[in-house]
Amino acid sequence: MAQEFNIAVVLTNQMCADPGCTFTNDAKKAVGGHVLAHLVNLRLYLRKGRGEQRIARIDKSCKHALGEATFELSAGGIMDVAQ
């Protein structure tokens, strides 16, 4: 449907703590499991930064290099963060 109508489709997946994971500082896992993880072409991991800053990390992509970008939420919308 997305290709037919040339629209973007956004899927979200809830994260939960993984108490069985003791070897990492980021002990989270996706509730949707492997089905949603393998269904998408681009996976972003969003996390809170300082204040109103947010960090978006490309976790999986067929076309883009893995990396992070920091942005800020403001009354004017999404803004670039001055480095």
Side-chain angles (χ1 to χ4, degrees):
M1 184 184 282
Q3 289 177 342
E4 183 177 337
F5 293 104
N6 196 27
I7 59 172
V9 175
V10 177
L11 297 173
T12 61
N13 196 358
Q14 182 178 349
M15 302 296 284
C16 69
D18 186 3
C21 186
T22 57
F23 300 109
T24 180
N25 292 335
D26 192 19
K28 295 181 185 75
K29 69 176 183 177
V31 176
H34 295 291
V35 174
L36 284 180
H38 295 292
L39 180 70
V40 298
N41 293 325
L42 176 71
R43 188 180 331 156
L44 293 176
Y45 181 78
L46 302 172
R47 69 179 190 269
K48 188 170 176 6
R50 294 184 185 147
E52 297 301 314
Q53 292 182 0
R54 303 294 185 268
I55 300 161
R57 181 180 75 211
I58 297 178
D59 226 21
K60 171 194 167 192
S61 176
C62 301
K63 298 180 181 179
H64 304 283
L66 303 181
E68 289 188 350
T70 304
F71 59 96
E72 190 167 305
L73 303 176
S74 71
I78 299 174
M79 312 293 276
D80 285 331
V81 174
Q83 297 292 335

